[in-house]
Amino acid sequence: MNSSSSRRFPGVSRTLSSGRSAPRRGKNASRTTNTSLSASNVLSPVFASIMEGRSAARGQIGLAAIDLTTMDFHLFSFVDSSAYSSLKTQLQVLEPVEIIICDSINERHSNAVLHEAVRSVCDQATISAVQRRYFDGARGHEMYRSLRARSDPNSKLENPGDKELCLAAFAALVKYIEHIEGFLFASSSIRITFHEDAALCVMDAETWENLRVIDRTSTAKGKDRRTIFSMIASGTLTVAGARLLRASLLQPLADEEEIGARAEAVEEMLEKPHLLERSRCLLACAQSIDSILPVIVKKYREKTISKAEHRIVQLVHLRQTLQLVEKLRQLLPNFLSPIIFTKAETLLDDRIEDIRSILDDTLNMDVLSLNGKKNSMDARNQKIYAIKKGLSTPLDVARKAYEELLKDLHADTRELGECLPDQNVQLAYSASRLFHYLWITHDANRVAVPGNFINIVRNKASLTFSSRHLMKFNDRIEQSVCEVMLESDDVISEAIDAIRPHVEVLYTLIDTLSTLDFLCALVVYATERDTVRPSFGASVIIKAGRYPLLDIPGRPVVPNDAYLTPSSRFALITGPNMAGKSTYTRQVGSLCLLAQIGSFVPAEAACLPIFKRISSRVGQNDTLSENLSSFAAEMTGMAGILASADARTLVMVDELARSTSVEEGIGISYAIIEELIERKCFVVFTSHFLDLATLDASYAAVENFHFAPQVRQTSEGEVLDPSHTLYRGSYAGPLYGFEVAELAALPAPMLQRARELAERLHEEWKSRREEEEEKLETREILRCAHAFRDLIRQPRGSMTKANLMQIRARFLDVARARNAMEMEDNEEE
Ligand code: ADP
Ligand code: MG
């Protein structure tokens, strides 16, 4: 691939910033096997183009992007905030290596703001400002009509009207890529998907990071941390399947029907393990099917040997994949779930047979059977004889010449006979050394090689060498191979031209295979862990849930419940350090995320709402690039969350305002909590400010939970261990702060004074709390009543036995506590 610096696009007015050692991805992607699928290497080179609305259309963004491996164009049109938060998220999903921005002379200032926003999320990408004239909406619409695959049912863009901006971005992007990459897009060959306000769940980069969904830093640091992606991707077999998984995790579904359809397919596959196994065996043969698309879409101006070879290999590969389709056609109807059924139907498309017969008329069927381990000569011959005999006279002549040369070479044994008679020397071939002599001998290091031989390489039990005579032969053979390739390419070009009108079905086929692979990976995950299919309702009800990344077979993990309903939707969690507070917030978030991609979740039972947005904020994350103090960064993050939080948002806040003074921290936390309650979102909020626990007295929505340590007796006295178990109610201390201070060897009298002060403060807090006790008790009863009401209001299917048991247990708790208190009162009387 050419870099932008070697070929300059005539419309680039300024290269605004270029990625620091930007990794060029993609080349490896097609070679990736399932063992090395990571979030970064399933990405292929994506180019993006951005056009911003002006005057009346201010705030409107048009974004076009293409993935050069899958040749998938995506056009986005949306209204964005002044901080470009939607654009930033979308760019983070796409991870482009090059971005072009419209450069209009009169708008330099706002361009700079946009550029800054883009750079903040794509610091590895090359960003160039391209002249305004290339961003032409009308031209974009014309291109759209001529380039899109003919039978593309996506007709939304027939009326360009309000899509002007993304069509303009599309026009500039097509021209830019054609220039920079040196090919033309063949007409009627590409798939263009238009995304309007999609029915997806929105997450931001910080939430991906907090929940460890993907690891965006791994490429920079050269190591992969375990992530939710890597955990499930280990079950995928194709690059396209892993890519679909990544996209689903970053932008989960928010449509109950779609999610349900996936989960249903997963459940069915779980019940039919033998069919699953067979499907996976077939998928393993289709590892990089999508690399066929660039071959069909790109039209090069000049022929080269390497491109010719590549095209031949890809067509052979496509033919092999079509063999697999036949087997899938028989296998898939054994599944009844609608999603697999629909996908199986796409395999019956006549156009697949049309492509197959074009390939059968072109390719030599003998080379198709050359699978598995091939030596260099087999691999080369597969390309040389890939095209059927009799299709092109010049090709047949060229191959004849090649064969003659080989015959001459093998017959010409004079050189060896004269110089090394009676030795075990033979002619060998390798892709890098071409034809050479191989002498097998135990004395490889000592034997003398006559002076007319050159390029001697000694190995342990053999040595290889060449001669001027042999090198001349190699030159002639290579020339004749080039001839064969170039002649083959003419036949291949005809075949590709014939396939192109049917290209749409290849996009569909790739979708089918990747969806199948993705679903199989979810099944593999569900089989390997103790998981359950979640149901959907109005509340978060998780029984014995586990954080997926701690949930490793053979390692102990403490399961915890979660219970958030519309009327009791704010879980305030307190507890000492290392108790498991952060892990718990992640657990709730990642179970919701998994459920929304259609996966099973690690729990005994789970009923979850479908969120439109999952946001999180973790204290003490320094965003050095923005040069903000931790506190300011936290507040910016919270402001972003608050701007869009509503009743269909899940918010996780972990240790807010740690890096400011206690009074300020508590004050800010109060204000933010009140706002979150006002906005009716579901919240898991952890804090070490015990004062916040009193909020449940003022707000019915707030419920206190805590992690308490476990007391263990040792010979030296009591030791506190974290139990990682969540309890109802607020934490009453201790926070282990003193233990840590003691370890840090602070002077004993000072520590004693601190303990006394802390105890006094704690007593004051306790007596305040007792005054509120009665109010809280009434609230608890009301809460249980609400829980019952919520449960009754839920759709029938989602009311599980687990939900009922949970609420019953709570009622009994409350009733028991009440009885105990009444008995105490009676005794006193
Ligand atoms: P906190 O946020 O309260 O300081 P963390 O959530 O960071 O605590 O957890 C501290 C450590 O305890 C982590 O290393 C984690 O692996 C472990 N841990 C947390 N929750 C659990 C659990 N439910 N089961 C087992 N280990 C846990
Ligand atoms: Mg923590």
Side-chain angles (χ1 to χ4, degrees):
M1 197 182 298
N2 301 302
S3 84
S4 56
S5 50
S6 58
R7 271 178 197 245
R8 223 178 137 73
F9 185 62
V12 171
S13 37
R14 291 165 299 149
T15 295
L16 299 168
S17 66
S18 68
R20 278 162 262 139
S21 65
R24 282 306 195 122
R25 294 169 305 214
K27 289 209 165 139
N28 291 333
S30 56
R31 268 187 252 124
T32 326
T33 62
N34 58 325
T35 49
S36 59
L37 287 173
S38 77
S40 47
N41 69 11
V42 300
L43 289 174
S44 34
V46 172
F47 283 57
S49 161
I50 304 167
M51 171 96 181
E52 205 183 355
R54 299 291 180 223
S55 43
R58 186 164 285 284
Q60 190 82 28
I61 302 276
L63 171 67
I66 181 175
D67 179 327
L68 284 185
T69 305
T70 57
M71 288 293 160
D72 251 343
F73 261 107
H74 295 277
L75 306 188
F76 305 84
S77 173
F78 50 89
V79 178
D80 209 350
S81 65
S82 57
Y84 297 107
S85 48
S86 305
L87 175 66
K88 282 183 182 172
T89 306
Q90 199 54 57
L91 286 175
Q92 280 164 320
V93 173
L94 294 166
E95 290 207 46
V97 292
E98 277 194 58
I99 301 166
I100 58 173
I101 297 178
C102 175
D103 186 22
S104 43
I105 308 289
N106 310 330
E107 301 269 0
R108 280 275 157 86
H109 173 68
S110 44
N111 277 354
V113 179
L114 173 64
H115 169 246
E116 197 48 39
V118 172
R119 198 184 55 80
S120 70
V121 289
C122 300
D123 63 337
Q124 301 275 316
T126 305
I127 307 171
S128 307
V130 169
Q131 285 167 21
R132 173 77 178 81
R133 67 193 161 97
Y134 287 94
F135 288 78
D136 179 341
R139 180 88 193 87
H141 190 228
E142 262 169 48
M143 286 175 166
Y144 166 76
R145 294 167 70 100
S146 78
L147 293 182
R148 73 185 175 130
R150 214 167 280 156
S151 47
D152 188 344
N154 179 356
S155 55
K156 280 182 191 158
L157 278 190
E158 286 307 333
N159 170 24
D162 51 335
K163 286 104 185 173
E164 177 90 14
L165 287 175
C166 64
L167 284 171
F170 173 66
L173 186 59
V174 168
K175 277 281 151 245
Y176 184 80
I177 289 173
E178 288 190 337
H179 188 87
I180 296 287
E181 298 286 309
F183 66 82
L184 296 175
F185 287 100
S187 57
S188 315
S189 72
I190 51 179
R191 178 162 67 174
I192 305 169
T193 315
F194 184 78
H195 304 263
E196 247 167 333
D197 198 21
L200 296 174
C201 168
V202 181
M203 293 208 284
D204 51 54
E206 191 178 332
T207 308
W208 299 331
E209 175 67 24
N210 293 343
L211 295 183
R212 314 258 186 277
V213 179
I214 52 163
D215 188 3
R216 293 159 49 80
T217 53
S218 66
T219 29
K221 288 179 188 158
K223 60 170 191 226
D224 270 335
R225 277 188 302 164
R226 250 172 61 80
T227 57
I228 295 181
F229 171 78
S230 69
M231 181 182 80
I232 302 176
S234 62
T236 59
L237 294 160
T238 67
V239 178
R243 204 179 281 134
L244 176 60
L245 170 66
R246 177 185 180 274
S248 302
L249 282 171
L250 296 185
Q251 295 184 314
L253 299 175
D255 178 76
E256 183 167 352
E257 209 170 307
E258 274 183 86
I259 299 173
R262 281 191 188 172
E264 189 178 332
V266 172
E267 186 162 25
E268 192 191 358
M269 286 167 131
L270 263 174
E271 288 160 3
K272 299 177 176 168
H274 54 290
L275 292 180
L276 170 77
E277 205 40 53
R278 272 175 43 208
S279 314
R280 295 193 78 223
C281 286
L282 292 178
L283 286 170
C285 308
Q287 261 188 29
S288 51
I289 159 111
D290 45 3
S291 15
I292 185 66
L293 290 173
V295 168
I296 293 172
V297 171
K298 291 180 185 179
K299 273 195 152 174
Y300 286 97
R301 293 187 184 92
E302 71 268 18
K303 284 201 238 178
T304 68
I305 307 295
S306 62
K307 279 184 206 128
E309 287 189 7
H310 178 71
R311 282 150 56 106
I312 292 172
V313 171
Q314 289 305 328
L315 282 202
V316 170
H317 191 166
L318 175 61
R319 183 61 187 80
Q320 285 164 341
T321 309
L322 295 186
Q323 265 162 342
L324 176 148
V325 168
E326 186 53 49
K327 294 184 185 147
L328 280 175
R329 266 187 209 141
Q330 292 163 11
L331 181 68
L332 294 189
N334 290 309
F335 293 108
L336 304 173
S337 11
I339 198 167
I340 307 185
F341 185 80
T342 321
K343 292 292 171 194
E345 277 193 328
T346 66
L347 300 179
L348 299 176
D349 195 314
D350 291 340
R351 290 171 294 176
I352 295 184
E353 284 318 304
D354 294 340
I355 295 178
R356 184 211 285 260
S357 76
I358 295 168
L359 292 173
D360 286 357
D361 291 344
T362 312
L363 298 178
N364 174 5
M365 286 302 132
D366 295 341
V367 301
L368 287 178
S369 51
L370 267 183
N371 249 332
K373 226 175 162 179
K374 287 181 293 223
N375 65 29
S376 309
M377 201 64 203
D378 289 343
R380 174 190 248 193
N381 280 340
Q382 188 177 31
K383 290 179 213 156
I384 288 179
Y385 294 104
I387 308 291
K388 262 197 172 137
K389 208 170 163 185
L391 287 182
S392 147
T393 318
L395 173 60
D396 291 346
V397 171
R399 280 202 288 227
K400 191 90 193 137
Y402 167 74
E403 284 160 16
E404 293 295 328
L405 273 172
L406 282 197
K407 224 185 271 171
D408 290 353
L409 172 67
H410 285 282
D412 187 359
T413 52
R414 201 181 32 186
E415 196 172 38
L416 287 182
E418 279 171 13
C419 306
L420 290 165
D422 310 324
Q423 297 296 347
N424 187 12
V425 185
Q426 48 188 288
L427 202 57
Y429 176 85
S430 78
S432 56
R433 302 200 58 191
L434 305 178
F435 284 102
H436 56 272
Y437 294 121
L438 172 69
W439 185 356
I440 308 220
T441 164
H442 293 302
D443 283 335
N445 274 320
R446 271 181 284 150
V447 291
V449 182
N452 51 334
F453 292 112
I454 52 176
N455 300 343
I456 301 161
V457 177
R458 290 175 197 272
N459 306 313
K460 220 174 187 179
S462 69
L463 63 159
T464 62
F465 49 89
S466 184
S467 73
R468 294 219 158 68
H469 181 65
L470 191 53
M471 284 171 80
K472 267 190 210 142
F473 251 115
N474 272 332
D475 284 348
R476 287 166 60 201
I477 292 172
E478 282 315 289
Q479 224 164 8
S480 126
V481 171
C482 290
E483 197 86 358
V484 173
M485 289 303 158
L486 292 179
E487 292 302 341
S488 302
D489 201 42
D490 286 345
V491 182
I492 290 283
S493 289
E494 274 174 32
I496 290 177
D497 287 343
I499 293 175
R500 194 168 293 126
H502 311 298
V503 67
E504 171 71 16
V505 78
L506 290 180
Y507 285 105
T508 317
L509 176 62
I510 291 164
D511 274 354
T512 299
L513 296 179
S514 57
T515 307
L516 200 57
D517 188 28
F518 166 74
L519 292 173
C520 286
L522 294 185
V523 183
V524 172
Y525 169 69
T527 336
E528 286 175 352
R529 312 294 155 94
D530 202 0
T531 53
V532 63
R533 176 174 169 183
S535 60
F536 295 99
S539 313
V540 175
I541 303 169
I542 299 171
K543 175 112 182 51
R546 285 153 281 135
Y547 175 50
L549 292 183
L550 281 186
D551 180 32
I552 301 166
R555 281 230 232 134
V557 55
V558 181
N560 277 308
D561 299 350
Y563 189 78
L564 297 167
T565 67
S567 52
S568 172
R569 58 190 179 273
F570 196 111
L572 185 66
I573 297 164
T574 41
N577 283 332
M578 295 305 282
K581 301 187 294 298
S582 303
T583 309
Y584 183 75
T585 60
R586 285 192 204 116
Q587 175 193 314
V588 175
S590 39
L591 262 58
C592 292
L593 165 64
L594 284 179
Q596 287 189 226
I597 69 165
S599 169
F600 278 34
V601 297
E604 270 174 32
C607 176
L608 302 164
I610 291 175
F611 291 109
K612 287 285 280 176
R613 195 175 274 276
I614 300 178
S615 316
S616 76
R617 179 65 240 179
V618 175
Q620 286 201 322
N621 267 12
D622 231 350
T623 320
L624 285 177
S625 56
E626 286 174 26
N627 201 17
L628 291 171
S629 74
S630 339
F631 184 63
E634 266 177 58
M635 291 306 114
T636 317
M638 271 324 299
I641 292 176
L642 287 173
S644 43
D646 62 15
R648 298 200 58 190
T649 307
L650 172 67
V651 181
M652 291 156 284
V653 185
D654 192 13
E655 304 275 11
L656 191 75
R658 253 193 158 168
S659 43
T660 183
S661 70
V662 176
E663 304 83 52
E664 225 173 58
I666 293 176
I668 296 256
S669 299
Y670 254 101
I672 287 178
I673 289 173
E674 284 181 338
E675 184 62 28
L676 286 170
I677 292 171
E678 181 78 4
R679 287 180 170 268
K680 303 213 168 352
C681 38
F682 284 75
V683 188
V684 183
F685 194 107
T686 76
S687 183
H688 59 289
F689 297 129
L690 296 185
D691 296 63
L692 291 182
T694 54
L695 267 165
D696 63 349
S698 342
Y699 292 99
V702 178
E703 201 163 350
N704 276 309
F705 295 92
H706 71 278
F707 281 96
Q710 226 168 10
V711 183
R712 182 161 54 93
Q713 298 293 341
T714 67
S715 51
E716 283 147 33
E718 281 182 354
V719 180
L720 296 179
D721 283 334
S723 68
H724 301 311
T725 308
L726 187 72
Y727 297 95
R728 263 172 201 289
S730 60
Y731 186 58
L735 284 167
Y736 301 151
F738 295 120
E739 283 72 6
V740 176
E742 237 163 23
L743 283 178
L746 281 183
M750 206 179 114
L751 270 178
Q752 187 50 37
R753 169 95 184 108
R755 267 185 218 276
E756 279 164 21
L757 270 176
E759 259 159 44
R760 212 174 69 207
L761 285 171
H762 190 67
E763 285 308 313
E764 280 173 18
W765 179 82
K766 246 168 74 184
S767 64
R768 234 188 303 137
R769 189 81 185 142
E770 272 156 19
E771 286 164 20
E772 287 165 354
E773 205 86 320
E774 202 165 326
K775 203 163 149 195
L776 282 171
E777 195 197 320
T778 321
R779 174 146 294 155
E780 182 60 25
I781 290 170
L782 266 176
R783 212 175 256 148
C784 283
H786 282 168
F788 263 128
R789 192 195 58 198
D790 291 342
L791 204 60
I792 289 160
R793 280 185 188 166
Q794 276 181 33
R796 245 189 225 177
S798 57
M799 196 197 293
T800 64
K801 194 175 165 198
N803 313 156
L804 284 168
M805 295 301 285
Q806 204 149 15
I807 296 176
R808 182 170 166 268
R810 272 182 73 189
F811 242 142
L812 291 179
D813 278 353
V814 177
R816 240 176 257 133
R818 206 188 173 95
N819 278 346
M821 273 175 51
E822 273 170 9
M823 270 162 68
E824 268 176 30
D825 289 348
N826 290 344
E827 273 167 24
E828 273 168 24
E829 276 168 22

